[in-house]
Amino acid sequence: MTPAELSRTVRRAVCRAVEDDALPGPVPERVTIERPRPGGRGDYASNIALQLAGPAGRPPREVAEIVRANILLSATTSPATSVTTSPATSESGSAAASSTGPSTGAAPRTSPGIDRIEITGPGFLNFTLARDTRAELVRTILRAGPRYGHGDALAGTAVTFAPSDGPRAALWTGTVVELLRSQGAAAEIVPGAGERLRPLPAPAGDDPFARLGPDAARWGLLRPAAHDRPYTGAELLVQRESNPLFRVRYAYARTRALARNAAELGITPDPAPASDPAPASDPAPAPARDGNSDSTPEATGHDSATALLLTALGDHPAVLEAAARLRAPDRLARHLEHTADAFLRFQETCRPLPLGDEKPSAAHRSRLALADAAGAVLAGGLSLLGIDAPAYL
């Protein structure tokens, strides 16, 4: 389940509550989903109950209980999981730190893809995704390839921009058009249009494209926020970790190298095998505490490096949508940096390929699938910025 899918799930629950007169309208157009802040819980959090509390004339935690109950109405035959409410000890953060309260009783079944829903602080909803959801995220990315994160969030929206003067403004406008189109909007540049994008220009008389080449120039003009001066220095050409563009492209090249090496070894990526095939005489894997069979860290996200990378990949659709809505390609560039750093940490920590005489395992196949997914996200993001993603670097 991606943040966008979770947002739609929560919004549907709010719609149901309004239809049942449990909450007053109107239903918000979008439900914000974000990662829990320090001290929070689960994979994602939302402050939707705090937004609805005022119009409803009810305490935010009561509204959160209503929203949670309506999410649970969409339950299927997924394994039952506990749903808890924590004491209201904090009024800041999307998933404020607080001590765990008692269970609300018999564990209700959760919505597909959600393992646990908690209410913390004054009324923040915190979501822990199901284990197979993390594996499904990798499958979703691999099916979509570099177009992962493209969608119809802005379908039916028509946006026109006036042509912009100067290399940075022209590049910024063209990139925003591509971002809007990736979200289903009809966007184009039309002379005389009312909206004109005006990022801070590059120094007068400087031609970064001629001096740095197209890829480095694009990164230098798009990576800083619109109100910040662009990067135009020669450090953009340095192949070192201190150069963010190099790190992003190097990370992508590493995903391709892993794929090539895996093919040479005859290892086929698999998003989330539960375990290596065991002889018939071996006992079955012991159930985990939540009732599911034990599986690899790559499938469950228990490993911190794997979890960090999974979170970055899961955030990608929301980042693309935000970058389009806010006319901010710098958001995508920063996210690519974050994703590249998460992947480089993952590959150093988790070893996607066997070493020496080590036999390929289910864990290796799972890690390779996650590396392929990271490569797809990096390639797709760079493509939207108009930057080449090199298979060799």
Side-chain angles (χ1 to χ4, degrees):
M1 177 175 286
T2 67
E5 292 169 336
L6 181 56
S7 174
R8 289 192 290 269
T9 296
V10 177
R11 188 177 185 277
R12 283 194 296 268
V14 174
C15 289
R16 185 181 295 115
V18 171
E19 292 170 358
D20 294 342
D21 292 327
L23 291 173
V27 177
E29 181 180 346
R30 298 175 63 248
V31 173
T32 300
I33 299 295
E34 59 185 359
R35 281 177 283 174
R37 298 182 186 180
R41 298 175 184 166
D43 298 302
Y44 295 103
S46 176
N47 65 349
I48 184 63
L50 280 75
Q51 297 177 28
L52 299 175
R58 294 184 176 186
R61 288 176 71 85
E62 183 178 328
V63 175
E65 290 283 6
I66 294 172
V67 175
R68 180 172 65 180
N70 279 276
I71 294 174
L72 297 179
L73 286 177
S74 63
T76 64
T77 55
S78 302
T81 55
S82 58
V83 181
T84 62
T85 303
S86 301
T89 59
S90 172
E91 296 195 5
S92 63
S94 59
S98 56
S99 59
T100 304
S103 172
T104 56
R109 300 181 186 278
T110 57
S111 178
I114 302 174
D115 182 66
R116 189 179 185 87
I117 306 173
E118 297 176 279
I119 299 174
T120 58
F124 297 108
L125 285 164
N126 294 256
F127 304 92
T128 299
L129 302 185
R131 290 184 172 189
D132 59 351
T133 303
R134 297 183 175 101
E136 184 57 32
L137 170 63
V138 176
R139 295 189 186 98
T140 297
I141 297 171
L142 294 179
R143 285 194 296 267
R147 290 185 59 82
Y148 167 67
H150 292 219
D152 58 1
L154 298 178
T157 303
V159 185
T160 56
F161 298 103
S164 299
D165 298 327
R168 190 186 190 198
L171 175 62
W172 196 276
T173 303
T175 305
V176 168
V177 166
E178 294 303 317
L179 288 168
L180 287 165
R181 289 173 177 170
S182 78
Q183 300 305 301
E188 57 184 334
I189 300 172
V190 178
E195 185 174 356
R196 186 187 300 271
L197 302 180
R198 302 178 186 276
L200 200 63
D206 182 31
D207 184 356
F209 288 90
R211 185 164 49 83
L212 300 173
D215 291 334
R218 282 179 167 269
W219 183 269
L221 296 174
L222 295 173
R223 168 58 180 82
H227 58 269
D228 291 333
R229 292 191 176 280
Y231 304 147
T232 57
E235 63 272 10
L236 287 167
L237 301 176
V238 175
Q239 295 195 10
R240 295 178 184 170
E241 290 187 0
S242 58
N243 179 2
L245 173 59
F246 171 75
R247 288 203 312 276
V248 172
R249 300 176 81 199
Y250 174 71
Y252 174 75
R254 284 297 304 150
T255 69
R256 297 302 84 215
L258 287 171
R260 292 192 297 271
N261 292 338
E264 291 175 0
L265 294 173
I267 307 174
T268 302
D270 189 335
S275 61
D276 281 324
S281 58
D282 286 357
R289 284 183 295 176
D290 62 2
N292 294 323
S293 296
D294 192 18
S295 59
T296 65
E298 290 63 42
T300 63
H302 288 170
D303 177 83
S304 61
T306 302
L308 182 66
L309 180 55
L310 284 165
T311 299
L313 301 182
D315 286 347
H316 188 65
V319 170
L320 289 185
E321 182 181 342
R325 288 182 181 274
L326 300 175
R327 283 53 163 161
D330 55 294
R331 285 177 172 250
L332 172 57
R334 288 196 299 272
H335 178 67
L336 293 179
E337 285 183 39
H338 175 67
T339 303
D341 291 342
F343 168 74
L344 293 173
R345 176 185 171 190
F346 161 79
Q347 67 139 11
E348 292 172 0
T349 303
C350 299
R351 291 196 296 106
L353 293 172
L355 294 177
D357 296 331
E358 183 182 7
K359 293 183 178 180
S361 69
H364 293 119
R365 292 190 287 274
S366 176
R367 293 165 186 164
L368 286 166
L370 184 51
D372 281 348
V377 168
L378 292 171
L382 286 171
S383 176
L384 283 171
L385 297 178
I387 297 174
D388 179 54
Y392 296 87
L393 190 62

